[in-house]
């Protein structure tokens, strides 16, 4: 309820189709007369754009990609509702589910009429008894007005309003709410800007707005005008007091003066901008009490809320965190999404009150992004990652580049629907909209990528609800969220089939429904022992029975107002975790495929698989307890010879290793470091059919046992590989220094299938 959800229908013409039409009807609830109105179904003619060169090297082919979504009735009006023989034509069909739509299964038909021949397509729509929040709780800054006027031939505020309104419909917020050419430093223009922001924010799906920056100079260095920023802040606070609507918590600040300062040689400006920003905020804080006294009827709690929002008002700088920039005063860094790929990299941002990130030309797949030749799951998964890693905000530099950048300047393009690379070597970068004016429309056309962005934003809201429901029972969602999202991505690298994605989405829906029942079912922990045994610890309120595979579970452990039960499976035997509760005579359940089978190579299986690469190698089986008293079983001892001017590395070749493919979910390798020092480690893959060794993991081996995981094999360009030939284990990272003899131990190797 309250969600947009879509499907695609692909028509392939055996002969020329001179025209096709689509006829909708209401859908009817099974077992009743309740209707899902056809007015809530939108059908779009997918317009195809030519990708001449694939720059992302993700195995996708060059060719025609559907992206722009033209309302089917407009396609009919302009004579584009035709299909050439042998060609495909996609229909994108979106269901806008009202917040009060009755839950259940609805059935009906969609008629496709091709040259008067009618085909009826059956439709089944399942509406869950679960409401997606109509308020957007994530933040964003997607810049509009970049070259909007070139496509629309209209630079009025009305057109700007149309773009911002359309963006809000897709749960993204703009970089500005007015054309820069239409306001100045005057008090009147400032109030117009704040009033416009207030007006736009009345749509709860638009979560935030950016305060404009005006330029000044100090000591011959460009910086922001601190006085103008103070005036804007004060004006925003006044509007908040006047209306009782908190604009301050929805305000952000970023400026092109220090956009990617480390890349564009602008670091000299950073300390000046930071200093002036802090000075402006401090001045407004000093003025706050006097301003608040002008509104004696204001709720004191509301006034305190505004003051707290001002204290937390962020200056967001698009760059990865560095000690130098932090010393210059940057507090809110906005790195590229790949800087959140590892736990150690994410930890750099733990001290930030707000976490932001961005994508643009880079990073490229397998990292998530919005490029045309990437999958829609990639764009959709960004919001999942934001929820998991507590990233509140997302930057995208432009949604309406209706021009082509040639490396020096922006040049006109003849067809806004046929130029895919508008920035060098990046198809789809800089535009998510297409101009509507060529079709007589007074608003832009959305893209399929925008639909995927909105889908992800709605799923962010489901996670938001899930987290709140768990918190009310004293639990966190971290482990179970990682467990289900692992089907889609690892770090910020996407590797998912549609089947896996929808498995994860259904799991999210089921978990949220269970948590919001009176039984308050919560997955307290989701544990993978890294050998293929998965254990869920599940909490249920007193007075309710927890079932698994239809059987009532016994011997739960008392916890607060309920009990916690353990449910375990071994992936060697089965792949689904199942549990549920009976609510009003109906079973509300969670049935989730956690993964495929596992294969484990123990030390004795691995002994013959290690061979020399860049150093001499001796191997033997040893008792694990003789190396580390906390370990049991056997280990393979790898005795590496001393080297100078090269790495210490060994090959690992085995038939099981060669079975690693795009269908491999992840691998787990356990290595024991017997020294008291941290050792550098790198794992590379050598594919048959490729001369390049691909680095798939870098890590530090701490003293003792190390559990190393690698996933994302489905994201590799397997179209260019025959198979995995071998893995290469490196135990050095610097060839400039000599390395003495070294012995390390390998315990086992586990392969998880999808």
């Amino acid at each position: 309820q309250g969600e947009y959800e879509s499907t695609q229908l692909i028509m392939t013409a055996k002969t020329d189709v001179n025209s096709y039409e689509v006829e909708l009807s209401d859908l009817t609830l099974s077992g009743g007369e309740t209707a899902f109105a056809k007015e809530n179904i939108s059908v779009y003619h997918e317009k195809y754009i030519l990708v001449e060169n694939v720059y992302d090297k993700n195995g996708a082919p060059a060719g025609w990609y559907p992206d722009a979504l033209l309302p089917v009735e407009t396609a009919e009006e302009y004579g584009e509702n035709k299909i050439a023989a042998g060609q495909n034509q996609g229909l994108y069909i979106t269901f806008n589910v009202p917040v009060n739509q009755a839950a259940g299964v609805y059935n009906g038909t969609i008629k496709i009429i091709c040259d008067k021949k009618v085909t009826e397509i059956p439709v089944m729509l399942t509406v869950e008894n679960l409401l997606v929040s109509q308020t957007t709780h994530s933040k964003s800054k997607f810049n509009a007005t970049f070259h909007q006027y070139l496509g629309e031939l209209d630079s009025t505020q009305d057109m700007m309003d149309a773009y911002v309104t359309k963006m809000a419909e897709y749960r993204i917020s703009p970089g500005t709410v007015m054309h820069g050419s239409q306001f100045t430093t005057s008090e009147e223009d400032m109030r117009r800007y704040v009033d416009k922001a207030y007006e736009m924010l009345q749509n709860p799906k638009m979560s935030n707005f950016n305060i404009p920056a005006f330029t000044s100079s100090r000591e011959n260095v460009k910086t922001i005008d601190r006085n103008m920023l103070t005036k804007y802040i004060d004006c925003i606070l006044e509007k908040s007091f006047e209306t009782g609507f908190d604009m301050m918590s929805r305000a952000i600040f970023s400026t092109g003066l220090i956009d990617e300062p480390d890349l564009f040689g602008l670091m000299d400006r950073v300390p000046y901008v930071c200093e002036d920003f802090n000075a402006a905020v401090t001045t407004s804080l000093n003025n706050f009490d006097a301003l608040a006294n002008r509104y004696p009827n204001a709720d004191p709690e509301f006034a305190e809320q505004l003051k707290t929002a001002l204290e937390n008002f962020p200056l967001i700088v698009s760059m990865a965190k560095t000690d130098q920039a932090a010393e210059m005063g940057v507090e809110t860094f906005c790195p590229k999404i790949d800087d959140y790929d590892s736990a150690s990299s994410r930890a750099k941002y733990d001290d930030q009150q707000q976490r932001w990130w961005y994508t643009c030309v880079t990073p490229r797949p397998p990292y998530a992004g919005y490029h045309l030749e990437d999958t829609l799951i990639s764009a959709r998964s960004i919001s999942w990652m934001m929820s998991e890693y507590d990233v509140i905000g997302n930057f995208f530099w432009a949604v309406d580049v209706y021009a082509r950048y040639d490396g020096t300047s922006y040049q006109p393009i003849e067809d806004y629907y046929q130029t895919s690379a508008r920035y060098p070597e990046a198809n789809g970068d800089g535009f998510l909209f297409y101009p509507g004016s060529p079709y007589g429309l007074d608003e832009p056309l959305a893209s399929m990528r925008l639909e995927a962005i909105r889908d992800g934003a709605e799923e962010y809201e489901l996670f938001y609800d899930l987290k709140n429901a768990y918190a009310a029972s004293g639990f966190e969602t971290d482990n179970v969220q990682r467990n289900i999202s692992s089907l889609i991505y690892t770090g910020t690298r996407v590797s998912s089939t549609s089947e896996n994605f929808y498995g994860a989405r259904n799991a999210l829906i089921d978990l949220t429904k269970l948590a919001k029942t009176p039984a308050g079912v919560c997955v307290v922990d989701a544990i993978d022992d890294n050998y293929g045994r998965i254990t869920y610890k599940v909490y249920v309120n007193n007075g309710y029975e927890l079932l698994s595979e239809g059987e009532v579970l016994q011997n739960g452990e008392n916890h607060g107002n309920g009990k916690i039960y353990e449910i375990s499976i071994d992936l060697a035997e089965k792949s689904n975790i199942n549990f549920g509760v009976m609510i009003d005579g109906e079973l509300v359940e969670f049935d989730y495929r956690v993964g495929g089978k596992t294969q484990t190579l123990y030390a004795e299986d691995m002994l013959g698989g290690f061979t020399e690469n860049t150093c001499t190698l001796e191997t033997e089986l040893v008792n694990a307890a003789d190396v580390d008293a906390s370990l049991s079983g056997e280990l393979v001892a790898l005795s590496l010879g001393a080297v100078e001017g090269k790495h210490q590395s060994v090959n690992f070749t085995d038939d099981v290793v060669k079975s690693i493919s795009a269908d491999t979910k992840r691998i787990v390798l356990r290595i024991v470091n017997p020294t008291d020092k941290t050792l550098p480690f790198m794992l590379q893959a050598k594919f048959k059919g490729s001369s390049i060794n691909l680095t798939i993991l870098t890590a530090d081996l701490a003293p003792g046992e190390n559990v190393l995981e690698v996933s994302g094999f489905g994201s590799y360009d397997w179209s260019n590989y025959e198979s995995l030939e071998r893995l290469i284990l490196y135990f050095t990272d610097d060839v400039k220094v000599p390395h003495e003899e070294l012995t390390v131990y390998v315990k086992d190797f586990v392969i998880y299938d999808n």
Side-chain angles (χ1 to χ4, degrees):
Q1 296 157 333
E3 181 182 32
Y4 291 83
E5 194 63 23
S6 306
T7 189
Q8 290 188 74
L9 181 65
I10 308 299
M11 303 179 289
T12 303
K14 295 180 180 178
T15 60
D16 286 344
V17 174
N18 296 313
S19 70
Y20 76 84
E21 299 170 9
V22 179
E23 188 176 303
L24 301 172
S25 62
D26 293 345
L27 309 180
T28 305
L29 182 65
S30 298
E33 298 181 356
T34 304
F36 184 90
K38 63 183 179 181
E39 287 75 19
N40 294 319
I41 307 173
S42 299
V43 182
Y44 300 96
H45 170 94
E46 297 176 0
K47 287 182 67 67
Y48 290 76
I49 188 168
L50 180 61
V51 171
E52 297 185 89
N53 297 294
V54 174
Y55 302 109
D56 285 348
K57 309 303 180 188
N58 61 342
W64 295 94
Y65 281 71
D67 194 44
L69 296 176
L70 183 66
V72 71
E73 57 271 17
T74 307
E76 293 175 16
E77 180 184 351
Y78 281 78
E80 294 190 17
N81 59 328
K82 56 184 65 177
I83 317 171
Q87 297 299 306
N88 292 333
Q89 176 58 55
L91 292 177
Y92 201 88
I93 306 169
T94 298
F95 299 80
N96 179 8
V97 185
V99 295
N100 59 351
Q101 188 73 41
V105 178
Y106 293 79
N107 289 280
T109 60
I110 291 178
K111 290 183 180 178
I112 308 296
I113 307 162
C114 293
D115 291 337
K116 298 184 179 181
K117 180 182 178 182
V118 178
T119 302
E120 290 196 354
I121 309 296
V123 177
M124 184 177 72
L125 173 71
T126 302
V127 178
E128 300 282 0
N129 187 24
L130 188 64
L131 178 64
V132 172
S133 171
Q134 299 304 286
T135 298
T136 299
H137 292 96
S138 60
K139 295 183 178 182
S140 55
K141 178 175 173 280
F142 282 50
N143 292 323
T145 77
F146 208 87
H147 286 91
Q148 182 190 105
Y149 59 91
L150 293 175
E152 302 291 359
L153 299 179
D154 184 345
S155 58
T156 64
Q157 184 59 40
D158 285 345
M159 182 54 68
M160 182 65 196
D161 289 353
Y163 269 73
V164 175
T165 300
K166 198 73 171 178
M167 292 171 73
E169 182 183 324
Y170 285 91
R171 292 184 181 258
I172 55 176
S173 298
T176 181
V177 295
M178 291 176 64
H179 282 289
S181 61
Q182 295 182 351
F183 62 93
T184 66
T185 58
S186 70
E187 295 261 341
E188 181 182 3
D189 280 353
M190 176 182 67
R191 293 189 182 280
R192 280 202 310 133
Y193 189 95
V194 173
D195 287 347
K196 180 58 68 175
Y198 170 79
E199 174 191 328
M200 295 296 185
L201 286 168
Q202 297 317 293
N203 183 339
K205 291 184 179 179
M206 179 176 149
S207 59
N208 57 275
F209 72 104
N210 189 58
I211 297 179
F214 293 87
T215 303
S216 183
S217 179
R218 286 195 296 121
E219 300 173 3
N220 294 320
V221 177
K222 280 188 177 182
T223 182
I224 62 170
D225 186 328
R226 63 169 72 176
N227 294 324
M228 280 304 302
L229 180 55
T230 296
K231 288 180 179 180
Y232 263 84
I233 293 172
D234 290 347
C235 188
I236 288 164
L237 292 170
E238 289 174 1
K239 187 72 175 181
S240 299
F241 276 117
E242 289 168 3
T243 61
F245 180 82
D246 179 5
M247 290 186 69
M248 197 66 235
S249 65
R250 294 166 173 83
I252 64 170
F253 187 74
S254 68
T255 169
L257 286 171
I258 51 171
D259 178 40
E260 299 182 317
D262 51 335
L263 299 180
F264 292 111
L266 305 176
M267 289 300 293
D268 62 319
R269 297 178 182 177
V270 170
Y272 288 85
V273 172
C274 290
E275 184 179 333
D276 289 325
F277 171 82
N278 290 327
V281 172
T282 299
T283 300
S284 288
L285 282 169
N286 292 337
N287 296 340
F288 186 86
D289 290 342
L291 189 153
N293 289 336
R294 289 164 42 196
Y295 301 90
N297 295 325
D299 184 341
E301 288 187 8
F302 180 69
E304 191 60 33
Q305 177 180 321
L306 289 177
K307 190 172 186 179
T308 300
L310 176 55
E311 291 169 342
N312 297 331
F313 175 48
L315 164 62
I316 306 165
V317 182
S318 49
M319 65 176 295
K321 185 174 183 179
T322 65
D323 291 340
Q324 178 196 18
E327 290 170 2
M328 289 179 173
V330 179
E331 295 182 355
T332 305
F333 290 89
C334 179
K336 289 185 180 179
I337 194 170
D338 55 338
D339 208 39
Y340 271 73
D341 189 47
S342 67
S344 60
S345 185
R346 292 192 290 273
K348 294 189 303 184
Y349 302 97
D350 283 349
D351 61 344
Q352 290 196 171
Q353 190 165 46
Q354 292 189 22
R355 299 183 187 92
W356 289 71
W357 64 24
Y358 75 107
T359 61
C360 55
V361 177
T362 59
R364 300 184 184 276
Y367 296 104
Y370 305 133
H371 293 177
L372 271 166
E373 63 265 51
D374 204 354
T375 67
L376 293 180
I377 289 174
S378 180
R380 192 168 184 169
S381 68
I382 288 178
S383 289
W384 287 62
M385 297 174 188
M386 290 173 66
S387 174
E388 181 175 353
Y389 303 139
D390 292 326
V391 176
I392 189 64
N394 184 23
F395 271 13
F396 190 62
W397 70 281
V399 299
D400 55 358
V401 174
Y402 299 152
R404 181 180 60 81
Y405 187 70
D406 63 5
T408 303
S409 61
Y410 285 93
Q411 302 297 324
I413 53 180
E414 293 183 7
D415 190 339
Y416 306 107
Y417 290 84
Q418 285 308 316
T419 306
S420 60
R422 303 183 192 177
Y423 204 84
E425 299 190 357
N427 294 308
D429 192 53
F431 67 99
L432 295 169
F433 285 118
Y434 293 82
S437 62
Y439 291 98
L441 302 175
D442 57 6
E443 65 177 12
L445 299 183
S447 62
M448 289 169 61
R449 291 170 293 148
L450 262 177
E451 291 276 333
I453 290 169
R454 178 171 60 192
D455 287 337
E458 289 171 336
E459 285 143 3
Y460 179 100
E461 296 305 326
L462 289 178
F463 274 120
Y464 187 87
D465 266 3
L466 183 69
K467 289 180 178 183
N468 285 337
Y470 273 46
S473 297
F475 302 118
E476 295 181 346
T477 61
D478 295 8
N479 287 341
V480 68
Q481 186 168 1
R482 175 84 294 266
N483 191 258
I484 63 175
S485 64
S486 67
L487 285 180
I488 307 172
Y489 58 87
T490 299
T492 52
R493 289 168 292 132
V494 180
S495 174
S496 181
T497 62
S498 294
E499 181 182 13
N500 281 347
F501 175 82
Y502 282 105
R505 171 181 156 83
N506 289 337
L508 168 59
I509 291 170
D510 290 345
L511 287 171
T512 308
K513 287 169 62 178
L514 280 164
K516 299 184 83 166
T517 65
V521 179
C522 298
V523 177
V524 178
D525 207 350
I527 305 165
D528 183 344
D529 69 353
N530 289 317
Y531 287 105
R533 186 167 182 80
I534 312 292
T535 300
Y536 272 35
K537 294 184 177 181
V538 184
Y539 169 87
V540 62
N541 286 332
N542 288 329
Y544 294 89
E545 294 179 327
L546 190 68
L547 293 84
S548 180
E549 306 289 354
E551 299 292 328
V552 176
L553 297 181
Q554 306 292 334
N555 303 321
E557 180 182 338
N558 290 326
H559 182 92
N561 296 319
K563 290 186 177 181
I564 294 176
Y565 297 86
E566 286 194 5
I567 305 169
S568 297
I569 65 168
D570 191 327
L571 290 177
E573 300 170 358
K574 61 183 299 187
S575 59
N576 280 52
I577 287 239
N578 174 276
F579 58 84
V581 289
M582 298 297 297
I583 303 293
D584 297 329
E586 291 189 12
L587 178 63
V588 182
E589 71 175 334
F590 176 83
D591 192 78
Y592 174 53
R593 185 179 184 276
V594 292
K597 292 186 178 298
T598 57
Q599 303 176 73
T600 301
L601 294 179
Y602 295 100
E604 60 185 33
D605 306 313
M606 303 170 69
L607 182 62
F610 291 101
T611 59
E612 294 181 356
N613 186 40
T614 57
C615 63
T616 60
L617 173 67
E618 293 183 5
T619 62
E620 64 173 326
L621 281 179
V622 299
N623 190 310
D626 293 339
V627 177
D628 186 326
S630 66
L631 301 177
S632 60
E634 294 181 309
L635 305 175
V636 178
L638 303 178
S639 298
L640 313 175
V643 296
E644 190 167 344
K646 55 184 178 179
H647 292 288
Q648 284 173 306
S649 65
V650 299
N651 296 320
F652 180 43
T653 307
D654 187 277
D655 288 342
V656 174
V657 172
K658 293 176 182 178
S659 72
I660 294 173
S661 69
D663 293 326
T664 300
K665 181 178 180 181
R666 65 188 176 112
I667 61 174
V668 179
L669 180 65
R670 288 176 175 80
I671 298 179
V672 178
N673 171 11
T675 74
D676 58 2
K677 298 179 181 179
T678 298
L679 298 175
F681 178 75
M682 178 170 65
L683 186 64
Q684 289 191 339
K686 171 64 172 68
F687 293 91
K688 192 174 182 181
S690 173
S691 59
I692 299 173
N693 296 339
L694 181 67
T695 299
I696 60 176
L697 176 70
T698 57
D700 291 324
L701 300 180
E705 183 182 19
N706 295 264
V707 181
L708 307 173
E709 299 181 41
V710 183
S711 57
F713 289 96
S715 63
Y716 300 154
D717 187 5
W718 288 94
S719 62
N720 291 328
Y721 308 139
E722 295 178 36
S723 62
L724 182 61
E725 187 177 291
R726 67 179 186 271
L727 296 174
I728 310 168
L729 288 68
Y730 291 82
F731 297 93
T732 54
D733 61 355
D734 188 354
V735 298
K736 297 179 181 179
V737 297
H739 298 282
E740 300 177 352
E741 292 181 354
L742 174 67
T743 298
V744 293
Y745 301 87
V746 180
K747 185 177 181 183
D748 48 47
F749 182 79
V750 186
I751 300 176
Y752 283 71
D753 292 336
N754 268 318

